[in-house]
Amino acid sequence: GVLLVDKNGKTLWAHWGYRHIDGGWAARVIPGRDGMQLFAYDIRGKKFSDDGVSYGNVKGYLWASNGDFIEANDWYWSFPLDWDGDGIDEILTRDGMLKRHDGTVMATFSGDGLWAADIFGDHRDELVLAPGGSTIHIVFNTSPLTAPPRVTALADRQYRNDLSRTAMGSRSLPGESGVITVK
């Protein structure tokens, strides 16, 4: 299942009855909506063989911070990043598309999406990709900022702690080691 708890461990809301919630994230992806949205994906068919693990019938779910169900979607094995610096996160999907919640595709990447963070302190998240051949690419947005400057994310201790946690491989594709495959 999926649940949200407060800082004292008190359950604020919970939804049970899923097969295997394998991962998820919290981010503000819908403009004009209060609070963050919470995403999780449910794997209903997992099979093991000599060739590795295969997954079938994977479904993504999005909830409001108060626990209200928003939608089912296909964002499984995705992660949020603020590509344009407006304070609303976009979603990097498994197939390499960076898109807004409304489905607008902002960019398409190839390689393994490893991590996203405001590395340069310009209020936009940079994307770290592994295109293969033991190389790493840092992709950044060079468009003018659309939002007024604010304190950079790296000045926030909680943001830095979250970056260090996610950099330790918490985002991975089944059968892969610490990477999200992006094509």
Side-chain angles (χ1 to χ4, degrees):
V2 177
L3 71 141
L4 181 67
V5 297
D6 68 13
K7 66 182 181 179
N8 298 315
K10 177 185 172 200
T11 299
L12 300 174
W13 58 262
H15 298 291
W16 306 108
Y18 298 97
R19 171 92 175 156
H20 176 83
I21 297 293
D22 196 62
W25 44 259
R28 188 164 178 227
V29 296
I30 303 176
R33 193 168 191 118
D34 288 339
M36 295 181 133
Q37 290 77 55
L38 302 127
F39 171 78
Y41 59 90
D42 184 21
I43 298 176
R44 302 191 76 73
K46 187 187 274 190
K47 294 181 182 171
F48 298 91
S49 71
D50 291 340
D51 296 326
V53 181
S54 64
Y55 297 84
N57 196 13
V58 179
K59 193 73 153 178
Y61 301 99
L62 190 67
W63 293 272
S65 57
N66 66 1
D68 289 347
F69 179 75
I70 297 173
E71 67 186 18
N73 57 50
D74 63 353
W75 300 340
Y76 63 93
W77 296 300
S78 65
F79 62 89
L81 66 148
D82 190 357
W83 181 249
D84 55 11
D86 65 357
I88 304 294
D89 285 353
E90 289 74 36
I91 300 129
L92 182 68
T93 62
R94 181 179 187 197
D95 56 4
M97 286 194 287
L98 180 66
K99 52 182 162 177
R100 291 188 173 115
H101 174 262
D102 67 7
T104 303
V105 176
M106 300 179 70
T108 303
F109 301 103
S110 63
D112 294 331
L114 300 177
W115 198 50
D118 182 9
I119 299 167
F120 300 133
D122 67 352
H123 311 289
R124 296 177 285 203
D125 288 335
E126 287 72 45
L127 180 58
V128 180
L129 296 169
S134 298
T135 60
I136 297 290
H137 292 173
I138 298 175
V139 183
F140 53 95
N141 188 342
T142 59
S143 301
L145 283 172
T146 58
R150 58 188 185 280
V151 175
T152 63
L154 285 173
D156 183 310
R157 190 183 87 182
Q158 183 174 346
Y159 181 83
R160 289 191 313 271
N161 286 341
D162 185 54
L163 289 181
S164 65
R165 180 186 52 79
T166 58
M168 295 163 125
S170 65
R171 295 181 177 135
S172 63
L173 270 182
E176 305 261 346
S177 175
V179 297
I180 293 177
T181 301
V182 178
K183 296 180 183 183

